[in-house]
Amino acid sequence: MMSKKHFIQLAAIIARTEDMAERKRLCEEVGTVCAHVNKEFRWSTWRSAYGVSQ
């Protein structure tokens, strides 16, 4: 199971992506995986970490 520590590590990688379109794509794709493995996953928190809107 993925923990908060894992989500933070993934977030750090995505946040370093300079191209906003690519950052949004990564945010959505990685977020989908995270949501499937953690029932407490919150899309709003995940997206706001990158300044990405839905």
Side-chain angles (χ1 to χ4, degrees):
M1 178 184 226
M2 292 180 68
S3 68
K4 183 176 180 180
K5 177 182 171 181
H6 295 111
F7 292 120
I8 291 170
Q9 290 171 336
L10 289 170
I13 292 167
I14 295 169
R16 289 194 302 259
T17 304
E18 292 183 21
D19 180 87
M20 188 55 123
E22 180 67 4
R23 186 184 310 171
K24 183 173 182 174
R25 185 188 71 76
L26 288 170
C27 178
E28 295 302 313
E29 288 188 24
V30 175
T32 298
V33 173
C34 294
H36 284 286
V37 299
N38 187 320
K39 66 180 181 172
E40 301 297 322
F41 182 82
R42 288 186 298 275
W43 277 105
S44 59
T45 302
W46 180 253
R47 286 183 181 118
S48 69
Y50 311 106
V52 170
S53 62
Q54 187 173 6

